[in-house]
Each structure stands twice: as C-alpha cells, then as structure tokens.
Amino acid sequence: MVTVAHTRTAVASKTVTDHAFGEVTWAVTRVGLGFVFLWAFLDKLFGLGKSTPAEKAWLNGGQPTKGFLAGVEGPFAGVFNAMSGNVLLDWLFMAGLAGIGVALILGIGMRIAAVSGVLMMVLMWAASLPIATNPFLDDHLIYALVIAGLAATGAGLRYSLAATWAKVPLVGKAPWLK
C-alpha cells in the first residue's frame, strides 16, 4: 500500500534530482554561451580562419567591426556603416566579447555581463534587419534572452566561481559587479 508520506517522499526525491539536472544543464548552457563570445574574440584577435582570416586579424591591423558593420544593408545601415572601423568601437567590441565570454564561463560579474551582452546582441540583431529567415526573431535575440535569464535567476551558478567572486571586497562594496 502506498501512503501519502511515501508519495511525498518520492515526489520530493524526484524534484531534487530534476533540480540537480537543471542546475547542471544551465551551467553547461552558461559556459557554452560564454565560449561563443570568447571564441568570437579569439577568432577576431588572431584570425583563426573561422569567420576571420589571418590577414584580417586584429593583431595584424584588421578592424573587428568593419567586416560586419560595413556590410549592413537594413533600415539602420547609415548608422552602422558610419560606426564601421571606428577604433574606439573596435576596442569596446573586443573588450565586450572577451569580458562577456570570461564572465559567463566563470560565472562571475553576471550582472554587468548580462547588461553588456544583451546590449551587444540587440545591436547586432538591429544590424541584421531585415532577418532573412524569420520576420522578427533570430539567434541574437535568443542569446540576449538566455543571458538575461541566467543573470536574473542565477541558474547554473552553483557550478561557478560566483561564491568566491562575491567575497572579493570590491564586489561586496559594489553589488552591480556580482
């Protein structure tokens, strides 16, 4: 005979297992998304030949924003074309890619990584308009939502350096760095 107490224990046990699986899944998602950003940084920095040929690497004098922004043809073409190849924007873009990538991989600085990551993804989405495969949605907006969700919920941070990061005195004084 199954009792109510037995049923509650079985449900609670399943919930704990599901929760642990969820934590691991979100941690892997966080690290994977961080690697997407970090890889883009490394490819543009060294010209690893995936999306950036060696001769256009930032270290070889290439301009990381030029290739993408110079080719924008959508409703914001004028704005993005004018931004193309700007040295300050190249530095901000590369620092953003590296910083967001490292923050996501390590699970530190998630608030600032989320704000800057969402901003970067929304700008890249706007530069991609009109979307060829969908009237509105593309991977930039999905990445933005995942980054925002990870930071807002703290999902997957059990498997990160977040607890250690929170103990850093500067982070304690400036919670926006968490």
Side-chain angles (χ1 to χ4, degrees), residues 1 7 19 35 39 60 74 111 130 144 148 151 178:
M1 171 185 249
T7 304
H19 181 72
F35 186 71
W39 178 259
N60 291 335
R111 291 177 183 174
K178 286 186 179 179

Side-chain angles (χ1 to χ4, degrees), residues 102-117:
V102 169
L104 288 170
I105 289 169
L106 299 179
I108 62 173
M110 291 295 291
R111 291 177 183 174
I112 196 164
V115 170
S116 54

Side-chain angles (χ1 to χ4, degrees), residues 5 38 49 69 80 96 106 140 150 165 171:
L38 189 59
L69 294 179
F80 288 115
L106 299 179
H140 296 101
L150 286 167
W165 178 253
V171 175

Side-chain angles (χ1 to χ4, degrees), residues 107-160:
I108 62 173
M110 291 295 291
R111 291 177 183 174
I112 196 164
V115 170
S116 54
V118 167
L119 178 62
M120 183 182 289
M121 290 295 98
V122 168
L123 287 170
M124 291 178 80
W125 168 80
S128 300
L129 292 173
I131 308 297
T133 58
N134 188 300
F136 176 75
L137 194 61
D138 79 341
D139 56 334
H140 296 101
L141 290 182
I142 299 301
Y143 285 165
L145 288 169
V146 172
I147 293 168
L150 286 167
T153 64
L157 289 181
R158 178 185 302 175
Y159 305 105
S160 73

Side-chain angles (χ1 to χ4, degrees), residues 22-148:
E23 278 290 318
V24 170
T25 301
W26 284 115
V28 170
T29 301
R30 175 182 48 78
V31 171
L33 190 54
F35 186 71
V36 168
F37 281 89
L38 189 59
W39 178 259
F41 167 77
L42 294 171
D43 188 46
K44 288 169 187 0
L45 180 66
F46 297 112
L48 300 174
K50 296 301 179 188
S51 65
T52 307
E55 62 273 6
K56 292 188 178 183
W58 199 27
L59 291 177
N60 291 335
Q63 299 171 302
T65 60
K66 190 162 189 152
F68 180 67
L69 294 179
V72 172
E73 298 177 359
F76 305 111
V79 173
F80 288 115
N81 293 159
M83 294 167 54
S84 170
N86 179 299
V87 174
L88 177 61
L89 291 178
D90 284 343
W91 277 93
L92 287 172
F93 179 62
M94 293 297 282
L97 289 174
I100 296 163
V102 169
L104 288 170
I105 289 169
L106 299 179
I108 62 173
M110 291 295 291
R111 291 177 183 174
I112 196 164
V115 170
S116 54
V118 167
L119 178 62
M120 183 182 289
M121 290 295 98
V122 168
L123 287 170
M124 291 178 80
W125 168 80
S128 300
L129 292 173
I131 308 297
T133 58
N134 188 300
F136 176 75
L137 194 61
D138 79 341
D139 56 334
H140 296 101
L141 290 182
I142 299 301
Y143 285 165
L145 288 169
V146 172
I147 293 168

